[in-house]
Amino acid sequence: MCLCFLSNSVDGTELFQKIIERGSFSEMDAVKIIRQVVDGIAYVHEHGMAHRDLKPENLLCATGDDGEILIKIADFGLSKAFSDGDPLKTACGTPDYAAPEVLTLDQTGYSDAVDLWSIGIITYVLLCGYPPFYADTVPELFEAIKRGTFSFPSAEWSTVSANAKDFISKLIVVDPKARLTAQQARAHPWLADDSAATGAINFSRFQQYATQRQQQAA
């Protein structure tokens, strides 16, 4: 799945590491990144596929001619074709970024809406430097995700735009039918209007989180 021009090569750098290497990051940068992810997932969904493991490590970076970060969605090992009559039922993905319906796994199964939940989590982390759900143990984390209750603490979020918070709040929604689709996310003001991304980001907090994830993966 390619989201940038064929003349650009992927350098293999994961998204968070690429941001740290740049040494700075703004809300506008987050808009440009998430817009590409949403466009890519919209394309995947339009072709009857769900990725099912969207996370920062699966967003690889290339550098455009103008120096902008270009995103390529990687690792389709857990992706699967779906249809309304054949819902997805396999438990898969990465706990921090998994949608609640994947964790519940009732008889109704789940749909490609799980990818939009993951995009909401990625966006949240990009803008503040920590995930919306956390716990001391994996079972406790799963319970927190299934409840779906989160907040925007003022220490990190007071400088982030209202449009960004609204975008996240419409993706991190427990009911998948109430979640934005990829097409609806594309049209949200935060992605559709560059002037809406006016906030600042706590870059040092983001660095801490990115370093922690790298250490956990090592």
Side-chain angles (χ1 to χ4, degrees), residues 79-146:
S79 64
K80 187 173 176 61
F82 69 92
S83 67
D84 291 338
D86 183 25
L88 305 171
K89 294 185 177 181
T90 304
C92 60
T94 301
D96 289 356
Y97 296 87
E101 61 266 32
V102 175
L103 307 178
T104 302
L105 273 184
D106 59 25
Q107 293 301 310
T108 61
Y110 58 88
S111 72
D112 58 346
V114 298
D115 291 338
L116 277 302
W117 172 282
S118 300
I119 291 173
I121 303 294
I122 293 169
T123 306
Y124 188 103
V125 172
L126 280 175
L127 293 174
C128 74
Y130 54 83
F133 307 106
Y134 48 88
D136 293 331
T137 67
V138 172
E140 290 174 331
L141 174 62
F142 284 4
E143 289 305 312
I145 291 171
K146 286 188 282 189

Side-chain angles (χ1 to χ4, degrees), residues 165-213:
K165 298 172 192 175
D166 184 72
F167 178 77
I168 292 168
S169 295
K170 289 177 178 175
L171 293 177
I172 306 179
V173 179
V174 171
D175 180 359
K177 294 180 180 178
R179 214 173 288 157
L180 294 181
T181 66
Q183 293 288 358
Q184 290 169 337
R186 274 175 160 175
H188 188 278
W190 191 62
L191 294 185
D193 181 4
D194 287 349
S195 65
T198 58
I201 291 173
N202 186 331
F203 187 68
S204 62
R205 185 65 184 262
F206 175 83
Q207 284 179 302
Q208 292 173 7
Y209 176 78
T211 300
Q212 179 183 2
R213 283 193 67 85

